[in-house]
Amino acid sequence: VIGPIGIIGVTMVGLIMAMVVVGAALFSREADVRAESIGAADLPQLADRTSQYLGQQRLMLPAPAQTLSDSIAARLSALNPQLQRLEDKSIEAVELRRRVAEGLPGLISSYGRVPVAMRRENRNGRVAEAELIEGMQLLDGEIDQLARQLASGDMDRLSSQKRYLEMRYKD
């Protein structure tokens, strides 16, 4: 009771639909972000590229480092409006690039080169997993400090504008 197209026709239609779904999934996938491409990104794209890179590396990272990568991505995302206005050659921009385009990928790739079986092993008082986590904590703190530094200039401008308005319009 299949009708005029028959069982073979139904099977062919199902097969074609499956191929379309698989093809769409394969071709719509975003390209992997390479560590080298983070530094080449425009400043406003730096946060997105770094977040994508961290997402790609996530499965390799131990749980505490995954939490730190989420924190770094969130800090960078929050910093994005300030990055839109920041000069590409400013000291802050250069320092941010150094941290997220050189320091962070370098730390993660160094950890990735350590054999999985040795990542928790104490070797000469150092444990690779702990070294990664401490390095990521340091970078997370540095990015937070840079964000606060950038915000302080905006807060100073806001305060100056308020004082100007008070002097101009108050009694």
Side-chain angles (χ1 to χ4, degrees), residues 73-145:
R75 286 191 199 286
L76 289 171
S77 181
L79 192 60
N80 213 17
Q82 292 166 311
L83 297 180
Q84 302 284 339
R85 299 185 313 265
L86 196 59
E87 294 281 329
D88 202 41
K89 301 291 183 193
S90 68
I91 294 170
E92 294 88 357
V94 170
E95 288 301 315
L96 182 64
R97 280 189 194 281
R98 185 174 294 138
R99 285 163 176 78
V100 300
E102 295 172 20
L104 185 60
L107 182 68
I108 290 173
S109 67
S110 291
Y111 175 76
R113 287 190 294 270
V114 175
V116 175
M118 299 176 76
R119 291 180 180 171
R120 292 185 175 173
E121 189 176 300
N122 187 336
R123 300 196 33 95
N124 300 325
R126 298 184 318 207
V127 178
E129 195 171 288
E131 296 278 317
L132 171 72
I133 292 165
E134 290 169 10
M136 288 182 75
Q137 286 172 334
L138 178 66
L139 288 170
D140 188 40
E142 288 292 313
I143 293 167
D144 180 53
Q145 182 181 359

Side-chain angles (χ1 to χ4, degrees), residues 15-29:
L15 185 59
I16 291 170
M17 289 177 64
M19 288 173 45
V20 168
V21 169
V22 169
L26 288 175
F27 290 110
S28 68
R29 185 173 171 258

Side-chain angles (χ1 to χ4, degrees), residues 53-63 65-70:
Y53 173 77
L54 287 170
Q56 291 167 201
Q57 305 303 315
R58 187 172 180 76
L59 292 177
M60 177 187 64
L61 303 175
Q66 289 178 0
T67 303
L68 284 164
S69 73
D70 294 343

